Amino acid sequence: PAAAGFWRMMPALPFLAIPLMTGGGAAADKELRLPSPVLVAAGVFFALDLYCWHMGVKLTSVANSTTLANLAQVFVVAGAWLLFRETPRRLFLVGLALALGGVWAMAAAKGGGGQGASPFWGDIVSLGAAVWYAGYILVVHRARADLGPLRIMIWTSLISAPLLLAASLGTHERFLPVS
């Protein structure tokens, strides 16, 4: 799971660096300074999201893992309300309730999952991916007030990739793809 996450981050770095080296990109991205604590948090949250989602796929079904990880928006709304006092509109809450009802109906129709090596723990880890991704979205939302998107993407990748590499090596999983 961690190796897959690493390989999703690492190949993007050279392409993200091209605008910095050629003088392109937004004015806020012209130089690559040390990351702020907000950027470090973004990188850590994104690494945890990728690790949890890939682990969820391994432990439960791809459908369950993806559906549960996509509940991140529920946690984004809750986090924005609790942390930033941003009140969601009533219509949004109605739509959210309908979406959650749809998630429940899908899970109930399939008999609650039951696929994979450990469906219960896979579902829990996949919900963890939703929480971590929500944290990433909330942190990036705040970072965008002062930073350009290129700097956020580069630091997210630069922080996430080594964390995922360390997790991959630490868990002794296959690091290089077979094919």
Side-chain angles (χ1 to χ4, degrees):
F6 171 83
W7 288 113
R8 288 180 66 183
M9 300 305 297
M10 199 61 198
L13 280 169
F15 296 101
L16 290 171
I18 289 171
L20 280 179
M21 294 185 304
T22 61
D29 292 326
K30 292 293 183 197
E31 57 185 70
L32 191 63
R33 290 180 239 136
L34 288 177
S36 66
V38 171
L39 288 176
V40 172
V44 170
F45 288 168
F46 200 67
L48 288 166
D49 162 56
L50 287 175
Y51 183 79
C52 286
W53 184 75
H54 285 96
M55 182 60 77
V57 167
K58 183 177 179 179
L59 295 174
T60 189
S61 67
V62 173
N64 277 15
S65 184
T66 302
T67 300
L68 293 170
N70 278 306
L71 290 175
Q73 301 314 312
V74 174
F75 298 108
V76 168
V77 171
W81 179 53
L82 293 171
L83 299 172
F84 309 133
R85 303 288 181 231
E86 295 178 10
T87 307
R89 294 182 182 198
R90 202 172 299 228
L91 183 59
F92 179 83
L93 294 175
V94 169
L96 187 62
L98 289 171
L100 290 174
V103 169
W104 178 82
M106 285 173 39
K110 292 192 284 183
Q115 300 175 354
S118 181
F120 174 77
W121 290 112
D123 290 351
I124 296 296
V125 170
S126 297
L127 275 174
V131 171
W132 291 120
Y133 192 59
Y136 169 76
I137 290 170
L138 291 167
V139 166
V140 166
H141 175 69
R142 288 300 179 201
R144 288 284 293 131
D146 300 317
L147 303 170
L150 182 60
R151 187 175 306 159
I152 293 170
M153 289 189 300
I154 286 175
W155 278 114
T156 296
S157 300
L158 282 172
I159 292 166
S160 295
L163 292 174
L164 291 162
L165 174 63
S168 174
L169 297 175
T171 56
H172 306 289
E173 66 180 72
R174 180 185 300 266
F175 179 69
L176 295 174
V178 176
S179 59

